[in-house]
Amino acid sequence: MTYIEELKDHDGQEVTLKGWVYNRRSSKNLEFIELRDGTGICQCVISREDVADEVWESASELTQESSAELTGRVIKDERSIGGYELHVTNLTAIQITEDYPITPKEHGVDFLMENRHLWLRSRRQWAAMRVRNQIIYAIHRFFQDKGFLQLDAPIFTSNAAEGTTTLFETDYFEEKAYLTQSGQLYAEAMAMAHGKVYTFGPTFRAEKSKTRRHLTEFWMIEPEMAFYDLTMNMDLAEEMIKSIISRILERCENELEVLERDVTVLKQAVKNRFHRITYSEAVELLKSDKTSDLLDKMKSDRESEADKLKSEQAEIEKERGSAKKWRKAQIDQRIREIQIRQNQIEEDLRNIPVWRKSATEFEWGSDFGGSDETLLTMQFDAPLIIHRYPAEVKAFYMKRDPEQQELALAMDLLAPEGYGEIIGGSQREDSFEELKKRIQEHNLPEEVFSWYLDLRRYGSVPHSGFGLGLERTVAWICGLDHVRETIPFPRMLGRLTP
């Protein structure tokens, strides 16, 4: 058996492919089957003159997502998907599918989420999962090449890393336990043993949020480094993101094309230095005339685009009545694309007044919301790092700025194009007395954090770390609108199946 991704190594040879029918079309004496096998899609051409009658009959019975085994000769053809096609000499149906629920027509999000186990087979979802895989590999490779040790933090914990209001509580042999919000505290302990470590695992947040950036179960990558200050922490985060993007641009060209991802911004992110501004500078920018002008231009651009799309749709709908079958299919696809974009434009136009109000009324000391991050990143041509936040909006374990005690040595890395925060981190408080004081100020049970305080009792050193949200990173790199498409089986508010 040969995999589709290997066809380039078998030009002119006879091979056998096994997979599922992604699409099928036929003419009088030809059958065209698009076969997928998980590594790619190949057009398989069956000529009635070249195969036995039973093979021709078997081919005509194949339906969408039927499984089959096809044997034939590999022919190079730049017009075909993947650049190669299979001229079939034999075919065996493995299983004929009936009434496959996901068809080429447009389906609503709720329907697709209910059928997520099948939706994963579509080309865009296939591409997104392959990019996710390469991002994961790139992360491991980056840290391993830098001498980091991967270690695992527990999923059951007795304490909260970020506070107790967004925890999933569970019974643990008659004790109260929580699903972890973060592996960070444990990573700090491991960093005191190994110097440079990272954890990579699932984390859970019980926030009742339905935004496009939120999942209740997601994956976090959390490096912790002894003897790192805030600047070194920001440098490492920037280097890691550039390393990830470089690998995706190198290894996932086909997947990014399937996703119709404009890679211009990704290439700029690799080339340009990430912008760094303080929280106070970010607040000043958010409330400035520059932001107001940006919103005015966005409104004008969206309205103009909406008018052009409306005119285009009217023109092609007129053409459709007399168009041939193949052209009607093209028109229907374009109409679906126009309608999706029109919905996005309508959402932007509804949001612009809300974003403007949030920006103009923003008060120093508040945390940035999603719309604030969107407006800030839209003003830069590369990812943006905001640092030195008000300590009051950050976690208890973050070290205060020695020069301005009201500020925490914290940083967030925001992805451009409106995707917002994908990394949050800080220099950690290394003083026993200060950390104990912060625990008390946050009304946290000191006995639960006694082991964490021990890290400051015995050989404390300056240290830093950050957390990268995998799904938000996948969403940005793939250009996806919602994180529900970045993980095989998303868990969200109201979504526990399939």
Side-chain angles (χ1 to χ4, degrees):
M1 184 181 76
T2 302
Y3 288 101
I4 290 172
E5 66 179 359
E6 300 169 344
L7 291 181
K8 62 183 183 298
D9 301 322
H10 298 278
D11 187 14
Q13 300 175 17
E14 183 178 270
V15 301
T16 295
L17 301 178
K18 294 181 180 180
W20 300 267
V21 176
Y22 186 74
N23 193 19
R24 182 177 72 87
R25 56 189 176 87
S26 59
S27 63
K28 185 176 181 181
N29 294 308
L30 291 173
E31 289 279 356
F32 299 92
I33 296 172
E34 290 182 2
L35 192 77
R36 64 172 190 85
D37 69 352
T39 70
I41 295 178
C42 174
Q43 176 168 274
C44 304
V45 183
I46 306 172
S47 171
R48 189 162 194 170
E49 297 178 356
D50 297 338
V51 298
D53 290 342
E54 59 268 22
V55 172
W56 181 259
E57 290 299 322
S58 293
S60 65
E61 293 173 357
L62 292 176
T63 57
Q64 184 184 357
E65 288 305 316
S66 291
S67 51
E69 176 181 317
L70 288 79
T71 299
R73 189 159 59 95
V74 178
I75 302 296
K76 187 172 183 178
D77 189 334
E78 297 296 338
R79 298 169 299 175
S80 293
I81 301 173
Y84 293 86
E85 63 183 23
L86 189 74
H87 287 199
V88 177
T89 56
N90 195 20
L91 179 153
T92 302
I94 298 172
Q95 192 257 346
I96 302 296
T97 294
E98 295 183 11
D99 301 322
Y100 186 69
I102 299 179
T103 64
K105 71 177 184 180
E106 186 70 20
H107 294 286
V109 171
D110 288 341
F111 175 85
L112 292 172
M113 291 300 295
E114 288 291 339
N115 290 277
R116 181 62 174 167
H117 54 296
L118 302 177
W119 190 24
L120 285 169
R121 303 181 187 187
S122 70
R123 287 198 75 196
R124 284 180 58 82
Q125 302 306 308
W126 169 86
M129 292 304 104
R130 289 175 70 86
V131 173
R132 177 189 172 100
N133 171 69
Q134 286 294 333
I135 290 173
I136 291 171
Y137 181 90
I139 290 167
H140 283 296
R141 181 177 177 179
F142 174 81
F143 285 119
Q144 293 293 329
D145 286 351
K146 284 191 164 295
F148 280 69
L149 193 67
Q150 191 213 339
L151 295 170
D152 301 313
I155 291 176
F156 287 122
T157 71
S158 60
N159 57 272
E162 307 284 352
T164 59
T165 58
T166 59
L167 289 164
F168 285 107
E169 185 179 319
T170 185
D171 177 70
Y172 190 78
F173 302 109
E174 299 183 358
E175 288 188 56
K176 188 179 293 186
Y178 306 97
L179 297 182
T180 184
Q181 297 171 308
S182 167
Q184 177 212 312
L185 304 189
Y186 296 96
E188 287 186 52
M190 294 183 282
M192 296 305 107
H194 297 280
K196 296 187 296 184
V197 303
Y198 71 104
T199 65
F200 198 140
T203 52
F204 308 85
R205 300 286 171 90
E207 295 174 276
K208 293 184 177 180
S209 176
K210 289 188 175 181
T211 77
R212 65 187 181 93
R213 301 179 184 180
H214 283 86
L215 294 169
T216 57
E217 176 187 325
F218 56 98
W219 287 70
M220 287 278 285
I221 299 89
E222 298 179 281
E224 286 290 330
M225 299 76 64
F227 306 105
Y228 266 55
D229 61 18
L230 179 64
T231 299
M232 297 166 71
N233 202 28
M234 291 189 287
D235 290 344
L236 184 72
E238 178 173 343
E239 187 180 356
M240 180 191 68
I241 294 297
K242 288 184 174 181
S243 177
I244 292 170
I245 297 171
S246 294
R247 182 172 182 85
I248 298 305
L249 291 173
E250 176 188 345
R251 298 296 183 96
C252 296
E253 181 179 359
N254 178 47
E255 287 83 354
L256 294 173
E257 286 181 2
V258 170
L259 293 164
E260 300 177 314
R261 178 62 161 117
D262 181 353
V263 298
T264 304
V265 174
L266 299 180
K267 290 180 178 179
Q268 288 176 338
V270 174
K271 179 182 177 181
N272 298 340
R273 179 174 172 80
F274 291 4
H275 305 279
R276 299 184 187 185
I277 61 176
T278 65
Y279 169 88
S280 295
E281 290 170 337
V283 172
E284 184 177 340
L285 176 59
L286 189 63
K287 298 170 71 70
S288 70
D289 290 341
K290 186 177 179 181
T291 298
S292 181
D293 293 343
L294 174 70
L295 288 170
D296 290 340
K297 185 176 186 304
M298 182 190 296
K299 183 175 184 293
S300 175
D301 289 346
R302 296 295 189 273
E303 290 173 341
S304 176
E305 184 182 357
D307 289 341
K308 290 178 181 178
L309 290 172
K310 185 177 179 180
S311 297
E312 180 186 351
Q313 182 171 345
E315 288 178 10
I316 61 177
E317 283 178 343
K318 286 180 182 178
E319 179 190 348
R320 190 183 187 283
S322 58
K324 293 184 178 180
K325 185 177 180 181
W326 64 269
R327 177 55 180 158
K328 285 183 179 178
Q330 287 183 339
I331 291 172
D332 290 342
Q333 175 60 28
R334 180 54 184 159
I335 289 174
R336 286 194 291 269
E337 293 171 355
I338 289 173
Q339 290 171 343
I340 290 171
R341 181 55 186 157
Q342 285 173 329
N343 290 337
Q344 293 170 340
I345 290 172
E346 289 173 5
E347 183 179 357
D348 283 349
L349 291 174
R350 287 194 301 270
N351 283 333
I352 286 172
V354 178
W355 293 350
R356 189 188 301 275
K357 186 174 187 292
S358 177
T360 56
E361 296 179 358
F362 191 91
E363 295 184 4
W364 194 101
S366 303
D367 205 357
F368 294 123
S371 63
D372 303 318
E373 292 177 351
T374 295
L375 291 177
L376 288 168
T377 58
M378 288 176 69
Q379 302 184 55
F380 296 92
D381 60 357
L384 170 66
I385 299 177
I386 302 176
H387 57 92
R388 289 175 170 80
Y389 281 78
E392 292 300 316
V393 299
K394 290 299 180 180
F396 73 95
Y397 50 74
M398 296 186 179
K399 189 174 182 64
R400 300 291 177 92
D401 186 341
E403 298 179 4
Q404 291 179 279
Q405 281 292 311
E406 72 276 15
L407 301 180
L409 295 178
M411 65 93 172
D412 287 341
L413 190 153
L414 311 184
E417 304 173 277
Y419 282 91
E421 180 191 341
I422 58 174
I423 285 178
S426 72
Q427 185 171 336
R428 316 310 191 188
E429 180 54 70
D430 53 272
S431 164
F432 174 85
E433 291 77 14
E434 286 299 316
L435 182 59
K436 183 176 180 179
K437 180 181 175 183
R438 303 288 173 241
I439 289 172
Q440 292 171 346
E441 289 175 351
H442 284 76
N443 297 315
L444 298 171
E446 188 175 326
E447 65 277 7
V448 171
F449 290 94
S450 61
W451 68 270
Y452 188 59
L453 285 165
D454 277 351
L455 304 180
R456 279 72 178 172
R457 283 191 180 97
Y458 308 117
S460 183
V461 299
H463 60 288
S464 300
F466 60 80
L468 169 76
L470 177 62
E471 285 73 25
R472 290 186 181 186
T473 304
V474 174
W476 169 48
I477 291 178
C478 289
L480 300 173
D481 291 330
H482 201 295
V483 290
R484 64 184 164 225
E485 295 185 51
T486 65
I487 187 170
F489 294 98
R491 295 293 177 254
M492 304 177 295
L493 184 62
R495 171 63 58 191
L496 191 58
T497 58

